[in-house]
Amino acid sequence: MSLTERLNEDMKQAMKDKDKVRLSVIRMVRTAIKNAEIDSKTTLSDDEVIAVLNRELKQRRDSLQAFESAGRQDLVDEVNREIPVLMDYLPTQMSEEEVRAIVKETIAETGAAGKKDMGKVMSALMPKVKGRADGKLVNQVVQQELQ
């Protein structure tokens, strides 16, 4: 079953269960997927759907920080309920230790010597961790390892 089909089935189940949060998140994700399909004029593959899901998750995390700094606890609670729903559809996220191991391996492969080689490391690294690790975490680990 493709990710899009799973979203459709889960949406139907959320309607039956009257799970408003899950239903709302799935509808937002399906809309984002549909918009991406319209933009690309093709049906999205599972990898492309995962990219859309990652983008939605990143938006939620950014919003969470903004809401916390603004003192909007009601919106913080709402976003905190949405994030686990999105995480259900994403591949299992890598731990910091796993990311660090792949970063060290990639640095050795590319022969990077310092911060000036960060772009080379990141371009070789991102395809390996795409969809399985947060970009900010990867960036931080690479910076730490290149120092």
Side-chain angles (χ1 to χ4, degrees):
M1 178 184 302
S2 75
L3 205 47
T4 308
E5 292 168 349
R6 183 173 161 216
L7 282 164
N8 289 334
E9 293 302 315
D10 288 355
M11 185 179 75
K12 292 175 191 172
Q13 190 60 45
M15 284 181 197
K16 290 176 186 173
D17 296 344
K18 298 188 184 341
D19 186 346
K20 292 181 180 179
V21 173
R22 187 171 202 79
L23 181 60
S24 171
V25 172
I26 292 172
R27 281 182 171 160
M28 282 188 270
V29 168
R30 288 186 67 226
T31 300
I33 291 168
K34 185 55 95 176
N35 287 338
E37 287 177 341
I38 290 169
D39 290 345
S40 67
K41 296 183 174 95
T42 61
T43 303
L44 298 184
S45 68
D46 276 355
D47 287 340
E48 293 166 324
V49 170
I50 288 172
V52 171
L53 286 165
N54 276 322
R55 189 170 54 240
E56 291 292 315
L57 182 61
K58 183 177 185 316
Q59 286 176 353
R60 301 295 187 298
R61 287 185 173 151
D62 292 345
S63 297
L64 186 62
Q65 290 174 347
F67 295 152
E68 285 173 344
S69 65
R72 294 291 310 268
Q73 191 58 41
D74 56 329
L75 296 175
V76 168
D77 294 341
E78 182 180 331
V79 172
N80 279 331
R81 286 190 301 268
E82 291 177 357
I83 288 176
V85 175
L86 288 170
M87 296 294 285
D88 288 346
Y89 298 100
L90 289 170
T92 306
Q93 296 293 297
M94 299 171 75
S95 68
E96 185 173 344
E97 293 79 33
E98 293 171 317
V99 171
R100 192 168 301 279
I102 292 176
V103 166
K104 286 179 180 177
E105 176 185 308
T106 305
I107 288 173
E109 286 173 6
T110 59
K115 285 203 173 210
K116 63 180 173 37
D117 296 326
M118 187 163 171
K120 183 169 39 170
V121 173
M122 290 298 286
S123 64
L125 180 66
M126 287 313 285
K128 296 178 183 179
V129 299
K130 186 176 182 180
R132 298 182 353 215
D134 181 41
K136 284 184 183 178
L137 173 65
V138 173
N139 193 323
Q140 288 173 343
V141 172
V142 170
Q143 286 180 4
Q144 291 169 0
E145 293 296 325
L146 287 177
Q147 286 183 350

